[in-house]
Amino acid sequence: MCGIAGWYRRGGRPVAEPVLVSQCDQIVHRGPDDSGYFTDGDFGFGMRRLSIIDIPGGHQPMSSPDGRYTIVFNGEIYNHLALRGELEASGVSFSTHSDTETLLAGFVRWGDEVWLKLEGMYGVAIWDRSTRTLTLARDPLGIKPLYITQQQGGIAFASELRALRVLPGLAFDIDERAVHDFFSFGHVLTPRSIFSQVRSLEPGHLLRIGPAGEATSWPFWKPRFRAGETLSEQEWIEETRRRVQSSVEKHMLADVTVGVFLSGGVDSSAVAAAMSRVSTQPVKAFTVAFPGSAIDEAPAAARIADHLGCEHIVLALDPVATGDLLPAVQAAFDEPCAASSAVPHWHLSRLAGQHVKVALCGEGGDEVFAGYKRQRNALAAARWAPWLRAIGPVANVIESLPESRWHKWNYLRQNARRFRHAAQLRNSFQRFFAGTQISSRAVRARLYEPAFFARQEGPAPLAALEREYFDPADAAGLDALQEFMLADLTVHMPSSLLHRLDRASMAHSLEARVPFLSHDFVDWTMTVPTDMKLRGRTGKYVLRKAVEPWLPPGALMKRKLGFQLPFADWFRSDFSDFAQEAWEESGAAESGYLQRRVVDELFAEHRFGFANHARLLYAIAMFSCWWQQNMRGSGAARSEAATSSC
């Protein structure tokens, strides 16, 4: 695990090592244990290493024995020992025990066929000195980040945006569409970044560029639902149990202690249980607690940990007091992030990083086994679409009535709006974008500066998003639930879930691993019948049944909470004053995107109980912190702001 960065300037313009050092200095938190650099005329790259596998022998950059190929690599390859055996059988010899050497040898032997052989997470750069060609690759699910900017005839890349922005002579202008993404969804939609000159290499894609001509990019893997084996229900349960255990065991590969994030929910409990079944020592399990709060999952996690014999390490937090650290949390991200779980993930990673270098997580279980309520709602909406259209006029009347201080009435109005919108949506791709928004089109029309709104919002924004992200062939033969799950897997996960997990963990030099997102495991889950994932209103049915014998009786009956914070309460307390001050003092109020008067109105309406704007106000607060840290003052000022206040 590490951070990587490089620059292929092309045209004979040399890349000096100090430039690479300045890039890697920006991401030292990703790899505090080691560093290395390589230059070859107009190309150079470097890395910062967090030593996990073959601690003395895994130094990067690493070159092939003949010196033709050199690699920097961020991630882990869990099946590298099996691949190494295959390569050794064909005559390849190795001088280290690192997965980096295995990956490089595999590329030399198999070329681009190597990528589908890998089980792991990675952002990779390989330089071919003979042809002066750069190859970039990103893992199939987008677990590890890889940003690219193509300017002045060359290409630069890095694990984080901050490692690109130090390159001399390059431009980084805010992408208005990314700002619109943020205030619509709470994050920027991949492959965009907050800067118009930078994009992410898409998950499961390769990019190749030589000394002349344009870069070419293409996918080497895409998720595809298809019919699987004909198995009985019990056989599906047993196969799920076997594959979960196998994936978790592979993800435990390390020369350091491996812990687990434990919330007490289905996914994290499954991972902790599988680890405990093979570990020779008590597994270190980490939990964030909110004592006395309805969102506190620590008691459920404690019951699981006690049953499994884990060493349970708990951090108790005051939900409101955590707001004091919002600037530090936002500073971990290169672009504005209003993910509701970013704050607890940051705290949990800081806790785990004090004890281990690696932690396994349950992320991905909801996406691949249909665990989200919004997925169930999408399926229900598809089934009830004719009825929803029939009650559309009634919903219009209810929604047109004024808001009140009576919360139940406002809740009725919100549901009426949801009914009306659901009736208008054509498929689950559109329902996905509607269901993951933090603001409606009507709210954005009120909030945005008129010119900004006109530039960003067309007459049918959800249909436009569907066309942008999904080819009609993507939906061929899919049911409504599969459409929504595909959207969660390919849009929400790399844009939000995996982005926040990577930044929150790496901010504390912690490697977070996700056993449910090995591409082989995901590929198999896409053959599991829909009714084995969603049974009535029970999501993750087959996973629940598979891990039930590993856990105490009734452990899987707990209501799903997820990582939450009491946003509504925050913005009716003194925290609202902090957020408004951040908005005014950061300079974000002069950014030209939002109407200052309307922002003030939203704060007032929420504080006095006329509406619940908590998610949107949280987004405004985080955008303000990001603006202060990234768009005002020098780099030194940004660094100071990141650790003090917005």
Side-chain angles (χ1 to χ4, degrees):
M1 176 63 66
C2 63
I4 64 174
W7 196 9
Y8 189 8
R9 297 186 73 179
R10 303 203 301 178
R13 296 168 295 171
V15 174
E17 183 171 305
V19 173
L20 304 176
V21 173
S22 69
Q23 281 193 280
C24 292
D25 282 349
Q26 294 295 312
I27 52 175
V28 66
H29 52 279
R30 300 187 69 93
D33 297 334
D34 191 14
S35 64
Y37 308 96
F38 170 90
T39 59
D40 182 13
D42 57 4
F43 173 80
F45 56 16
M47 56 78 67
R48 293 291 319 194
R49 185 182 179 214
L50 182 67
S51 303
I52 303 294
I53 294 176
D54 192 7
I55 294 172
H59 178 76
Q60 297 181 43
M62 184 178 291
S63 296
S64 58
D66 62 1
R68 174 175 175 175
Y69 299 98
T70 304
I71 186 174
V72 289
F73 156 52
N74 167 32
E76 302 290 353
I77 306 302
Y78 307 118
N79 66 333
H80 88 95
L81 294 177
L83 295 177
R84 179 173 290 230
E86 189 176 343
L87 289 163
E88 287 176 328
S90 65
V92 177
S93 59
F94 293 91
S95 58
T96 77
H97 301 289
S98 76
D99 54 348
T100 305
E101 187 180 19
T102 305
L103 196 164
L104 181 59
F107 179 79
V108 172
R109 173 69 60 162
W110 298 313
D112 289 332
E113 292 180 9
V114 71
W115 308 112
L116 282 177
K117 290 177 175 284
L118 304 178
E119 291 182 48
M121 54 183 183
Y122 50 86
V124 180
I126 298 177
W127 174 246
D128 182 342
R129 174 174 259 168
S130 175
T131 63
R132 304 200 64 75
T133 299
L134 172 66
T135 298
L136 302 176
R138 189 179 181 197
D139 67 73
L141 278 302
I143 303 168
K144 289 291 101 183
L146 190 57
Y147 290 98
I148 298 164
T149 183
Q150 293 179 259
Q151 300 186 48
Q152 300 179 358
I155 184 171
F157 61 90
S159 297
E160 297 186 16
L161 287 170
R162 71 190 83 222
L164 294 175
R165 295 184 67 193
V166 298
L167 292 176
L170 301 189
F172 298 93
D173 303 309
I174 289 183
D175 185 344
E176 285 194 344
R177 179 62 189 279
V179 174
H180 173 56
D181 284 348
F182 175 73
F183 286 111
S184 300
F185 299 99
H187 54 262
V188 178
L189 294 178
T190 188
R192 277 187 291 278
S193 83
I194 193 64
F195 299 112
S196 58
Q197 293 89 353
V198 183
R199 64 183 174 89
S200 291
L201 181 62
E202 294 185 64
H205 275 63
L206 296 175
L207 181 147
R208 187 160 288 138
I209 184 169
E214 298 297 320
T216 57
S217 179
W218 67 96
F220 62 85
W221 183 86
K222 280 188 173 184
R224 183 173 60 88
F225 285 100
R226 61 200 185 281
E229 299 177 84
T230 302
L231 301 177
S232 68
E233 177 172 315
Q234 187 58 38
E235 287 172 329
W236 278 116
I237 292 170
E238 291 173 358
E239 182 65 6
T240 300
R241 184 181 299 127
R242 183 187 71 80
R243 287 181 179 267
V244 168
Q245 183 69 60
S246 175
S247 185
V248 168
E249 287 186 41
K250 289 176 182 177
H251 281 69
M252 293 175 69
L253 178 69
D255 293 334
V256 296
T257 302
V258 180
V260 64
F261 288 177
L262 180 62
S263 69
V266 176
D267 305 329
S268 66
S269 297
V271 172
M275 292 176 69
S276 297
R277 291 169 63 83
V278 296
S279 178
T280 58
Q281 300 291 328
V283 173
K284 293 181 183 293
F286 303 96
T287 301
V288 166
F290 298 107
S293 170
I295 64 173
D296 187 20
E297 296 187 295
R303 185 176 178 224
I304 300 294
D306 182 64
H307 180 82
L308 299 175
C310 296
E311 179 186 345
H312 195 204
I313 303 168
V314 181
L315 174 66
L317 294 175
D318 176 350
V320 176
T322 59
D324 295 339
L325 287 172
L326 283 191
V329 174
Q330 178 54 66
F333 295 81
D334 284 305
E335 45 199 359
C337 173
S340 58
S341 66
V343 175
H345 259 125
W346 187 90
H347 281 287
L348 186 61
S349 296
R350 182 171 67 167
L351 171 67
Q354 295 168 357
H355 299 270
V356 297
K357 278 190 172 184
V358 179
L360 271 57
C361 314
E363 268 70 14
D366 288 310
E367 284 76 11
V368 301
F369 285 114
Y372 286 127
K373 181 180 179 180
R374 64 175 182 250
Q375 295 166 336
R376 301 195 298 273
N377 290 345
L379 184 58
R383 290 171 175 169
W384 290 92
W387 180 76
L388 292 173
R389 294 188 186 99
I391 69 166
V394 177
N396 288 342
V397 172
I398 295 174
E399 187 184 353
S400 68
L401 297 174
E403 289 188 336
S404 165
R405 293 192 68 171
W406 188 39
H407 296 303
K408 290 185 178 179
W409 172 252
N410 291 332
Y411 182 72
L412 177 63
R413 290 182 71 256
Q414 292 169 4
N415 279 339
R417 183 183 298 117
R418 292 190 186 101
F419 276 124
R420 182 172 64 81
H421 288 171
Q424 298 169 346
L425 301 180
R426 189 170 69 86
N427 55 34
S428 287
F429 294 130
Q430 293 185 20
R431 293 186 185 99
F432 162 78
F433 289 112
T436 53
Q437 290 184 124
I438 65 170
S439 65
S440 67
R441 175 182 168 87
V443 168
R444 294 191 296 272
R446 177 188 173 195
L447 175 64
Y448 285 3
E449 288 286 353
F452 179 55
F453 182 82
R455 290 194 297 271
Q456 299 305 323
E457 291 272 2
L462 299 180
L465 284 165
E466 179 196 356
R467 290 192 298 272
E468 180 180 357
Y469 282 93
F470 301 102
D471 188 279
D474 293 331
L478 301 187
D479 61 35
L481 180 62
Q482 289 172 331
E483 286 180 345
F484 204 105
M485 291 176 68
L486 182 63
D488 259 325
L489 196 67
T490 58
V491 180
H492 179 258
M493 197 150 57
S495 298
S496 178
L497 185 148
L498 292 173
H499 179 260
R500 70 180 183 248
L501 178 64
D502 175 81
R503 298 306 191 280
S505 59
M506 293 309 296
H508 303 288
S509 304
L510 176 75
E511 176 174 306
R513 297 181 178 180
V514 280
F516 288 122
L517 295 180
S518 165
H519 89 271
D520 284 350
F521 186 85
V522 171
D523 212 36
W524 171 78
T525 66
M526 301 188 87
T527 70
V528 177
T530 295
D531 70 342
M532 291 301 298
K533 296 174 180 175
L534 181 60
R535 182 69 58 89
R537 295 189 60 79
T538 301
K540 297 186 283 198
Y541 175 79
V542 71
L543 179 62
R544 291 172 184 272
K545 291 295 184 182
V547 303
E548 194 173 44
W550 297 347
L551 302 171
L556 301 180
M557 301 300 291
K558 183 178 76 73
R559 180 172 66 91
K560 180 179 177 63
L561 293 177
F563 266 158
Q564 302 182 48
L565 286 173
F567 294 117
D569 293 339
W570 274 14
F571 288 99
R572 293 191 182 103
S573 70
D574 292 342
F575 178 79
S576 181
D577 295 333
F578 161 80
Q580 281 190 277
E581 289 175 7
W583 160 250
E584 293 289 344
E585 296 176 4
S586 66
E590 284 76 45
S591 62
Y593 303 122
L594 309 183
Q595 297 191 68
R596 184 194 298 260
R597 171 186 56 81
V598 176
V599 172
D600 292 341
E601 290 172 356
L602 294 178
F603 273 102
E605 289 169 4
H606 184 92
R607 179 184 283 274
F608 292 108
F610 289 112
N612 184 353
H613 299 306
R615 288 299 307 278
L616 187 54
L617 294 178
Y618 176 60
I620 292 171
M622 297 305 273
F623 183 78
S624 300
C625 288
W626 178 83
W627 190 274
Q628 172 76 20
Q629 295 164 2
N630 292 272
M631 304 309 295
R632 297 186 69 184
S634 66
R638 288 199 300 271
S639 176
E640 182 180 353
T643 58
S644 56
S645 66
C646 288

